[in-house]
mmCIF file of all heavy atoms in Angstrom:
data_model
loop_
_atom_site.group_PDB
_atom_site.id
_atom_site.type_symbol
_atom_site.label_atom_id
_atom_site.label_comp_id
_atom_site.label_asym_id
_atom_site.label_seq_id
_atom_site.Cartn_x
_atom_site.Cartn_y
_atom_site.Cartn_z
ATOM 1 N N GLY A 136 23.659 -28.305 13.858
ATOM 2 C CA GLY A 136 24.121 -26.917 13.754
ATOM 3 C C GLY A 136 23.216 -25.959 14.493
ATOM 4 O O GLY A 136 23.688 -25.042 15.172
ATOM 5 N N LEU A 137 21.912 -26.178 14.369
ATOM 6 C CA LEU A 137 20.948 -25.330 15.069
ATOM 7 C C LEU A 137 21.141 -25.423 16.575
ATOM 8 O O LEU A 137 21.140 -24.402 17.279
ATOM 9 C CB LEU A 137 19.527 -25.733 14.692
ATOM 10 C CG LEU A 137 18.388 -25.070 15.464
ATOM 11 C CD1 LEU A 137 18.403 -23.552 15.272
ATOM 12 C CD2 LEU A 137 17.038 -25.646 15.042
ATOM 13 N N SER A 138 21.321 -26.627 17.088
ATOM 14 C CA SER A 138 21.513 -26.825 18.523
ATOM 15 C C SER A 138 22.759 -26.099 19.015
ATOM 16 O O SER A 138 22.734 -25.437 20.065
ATOM 17 C CB SER A 138 21.622 -28.317 18.833
ATOM 18 O OG SER A 138 21.848 -28.533 20.216
ATOM 19 N N LEU A 139 23.851 -26.194 18.253
ATOM 20 C CA LEU A 139 25.090 -25.516 18.636
ATOM 21 C C LEU A 139 24.896 -24.000 18.667
ATOM 22 O O LEU A 139 25.401 -23.307 19.559
ATOM 23 C CB LEU A 139 26.206 -25.876 17.663
ATOM 24 C CG LEU A 139 26.699 -27.332 17.718
ATOM 25 C CD1 LEU A 139 27.641 -27.614 16.557
ATOM 26 C CD2 LEU A 139 27.372 -27.626 19.047
ATOM 27 N N ALA A 140 24.163 -23.477 17.696
ATOM 28 C CA ALA A 140 23.909 -22.033 17.648
ATOM 29 C C ALA A 140 23.036 -21.579 18.811
ATOM 30 O O ALA A 140 23.270 -20.524 19.411
ATOM 31 C CB ALA A 140 23.250 -21.664 16.317
ATOM 32 N N MET A 141 22.042 -22.387 19.160
ATOM 33 C CA MET A 141 21.150 -22.020 20.258
ATOM 34 C C MET A 141 21.860 -22.049 21.605
ATOM 35 O O MET A 141 21.486 -21.340 22.530
ATOM 36 C CB MET A 141 19.934 -22.957 20.267
ATOM 37 C CG MET A 141 19.012 -22.762 19.066
ATOM 38 S SD MET A 141 17.653 -23.978 18.963
ATOM 39 C CE MET A 141 16.604 -23.477 20.319
ATOM 40 N N GLN A 142 22.925 -22.872 21.720
ATOM 41 C CA GLN A 142 23.645 -22.997 22.981
ATOM 42 C C GLN A 142 24.864 -22.068 23.071
ATOM 43 O O GLN A 142 25.495 -21.974 24.125
ATOM 44 C CB GLN A 142 24.125 -24.440 23.150
ATOM 45 C CG GLN A 142 23.005 -25.452 23.275
ATOM 46 C CD GLN A 142 23.506 -26.885 23.256
ATOM 47 O OE1 GLN A 142 24.627 -27.168 23.667
ATOM 48 N NE2 GLN A 142 22.695 -27.792 22.758
ATOM 49 N N ALA A 143 25.185 -21.379 21.978
ATOM 50 C CA ALA A 143 26.380 -20.528 21.956
ATOM 51 C C ALA A 143 26.211 -19.296 22.830
ATOM 52 O O ALA A 143 25.089 -18.872 23.142
ATOM 53 C CB ALA A 143 26.695 -20.109 20.523
ATOM 54 N N ALA A 144 27.327 -18.711 23.231
ATOM 55 C CA ALA A 144 27.298 -17.488 24.042
ATOM 56 C C ALA A 144 26.641 -16.362 23.242
ATOM 57 O O ALA A 144 26.969 -16.147 22.075
ATOM 58 C CB ALA A 144 28.714 -17.091 24.431
ATOM 59 N N PRO A 145 25.721 -15.622 23.864
ATOM 60 C CA PRO A 145 25.009 -14.548 23.147
ATOM 61 C C PRO A 145 25.812 -13.248 23.114
ATOM 62 O O PRO A 145 25.376 -12.211 23.627
ATOM 63 C CB PRO A 145 23.731 -14.396 23.972
ATOM 64 C CG PRO A 145 24.155 -14.736 25.365
ATOM 65 C CD PRO A 145 25.185 -15.825 25.229
ATOM 66 N N ASP A 146 26.986 -13.315 22.470
ATOM 67 C CA ASP A 146 27.857 -12.138 22.454
ATOM 68 C C ASP A 146 28.158 -11.638 21.040
ATOM 69 O O ASP A 146 29.032 -10.796 20.846
ATOM 70 C CB ASP A 146 29.169 -12.452 23.180
ATOM 71 C CG ASP A 146 29.921 -13.636 22.566
ATOM 72 O OD1 ASP A 146 29.500 -14.128 21.499
ATOM 73 O OD2 ASP A 146 30.927 -14.070 23.162
ATOM 74 N N GLY A 147 27.450 -12.201 20.041
ATOM 75 C CA GLY A 147 27.632 -11.758 18.664
ATOM 76 C C GLY A 147 28.734 -12.455 17.907
ATOM 77 O O GLY A 147 28.892 -12.239 16.704
ATOM 78 N N HIS A 148 29.503 -13.301 18.579
ATOM 79 C CA HIS A 148 30.622 -13.962 17.912
ATOM 80 C C HIS A 148 30.248 -15.302 17.280
ATOM 81 O O HIS A 148 31.074 -15.923 16.618
ATOM 82 C CB HIS A 148 31.782 -14.157 18.900
ATOM 83 C CG HIS A 148 32.418 -12.868 19.307
ATOM 84 N ND1 HIS A 148 32.056 -12.184 20.446
ATOM 85 C CD2 HIS A 148 33.367 -12.109 18.697
ATOM 86 C CE1 HIS A 148 32.771 -11.072 20.534
ATOM 87 N NE2 HIS A 148 33.567 -11.000 19.493
ATOM 88 N N THR A 149 29.008 -15.750 17.502
ATOM 89 C CA THR A 149 28.501 -16.955 16.850
ATOM 90 C C THR A 149 27.175 -16.619 16.181
ATOM 91 O O THR A 149 26.257 -16.113 16.829
ATOM 92 C CB THR A 149 28.279 -18.100 17.850
ATOM 93 O OG1 THR A 149 29.514 -18.408 18.503
ATOM 94 C CG2 THR A 149 27.767 -19.342 17.132
ATOM 95 N N LEU A 150 27.089 -16.900 14.871
ATOM 96 C CA LEU A 150 25.876 -16.681 14.107
ATOM 97 C C LEU A 150 25.428 -18.005 13.500
ATOM 98 O O LEU A 150 26.169 -18.982 13.502
ATOM 99 C CB LEU A 150 26.119 -15.644 12.998
ATOM 100 C CG LEU A 150 26.708 -14.305 13.448
ATOM 101 C CD1 LEU A 150 26.964 -13.404 12.243
ATOM 102 C CD2 LEU A 150 25.781 -13.617 14.448
ATOM 103 N N PHE A 151 24.221 -18.030 12.971
ATOM 104 C CA PHE A 151 23.685 -19.244 12.358
ATOM 105 C C PHE A 151 23.053 -18.897 11.031
ATOM 106 O O PHE A 151 22.221 -17.982 10.954
ATOM 107 C CB PHE A 151 22.652 -19.897 13.275
ATOM 108 C CG PHE A 151 22.075 -21.176 12.734
ATOM 109 C CD1 PHE A 151 22.886 -22.277 12.489
ATOM 110 C CD2 PHE A 151 20.719 -21.291 12.475
ATOM 111 C CE1 PHE A 151 22.360 -23.466 12.004
ATOM 112 C CE2 PHE A 151 20.176 -22.469 11.993
ATOM 113 C CZ PHE A 151 20.999 -23.572 11.753
#
Side-chain angles (χ1 to χ4, degrees):
L137 173 61
S138 178
L139 291 171
M141 292 174 71
Q142 296 172 29
D146 58 7
H148 292 94
T149 301
L150 306 177
F151 182 62

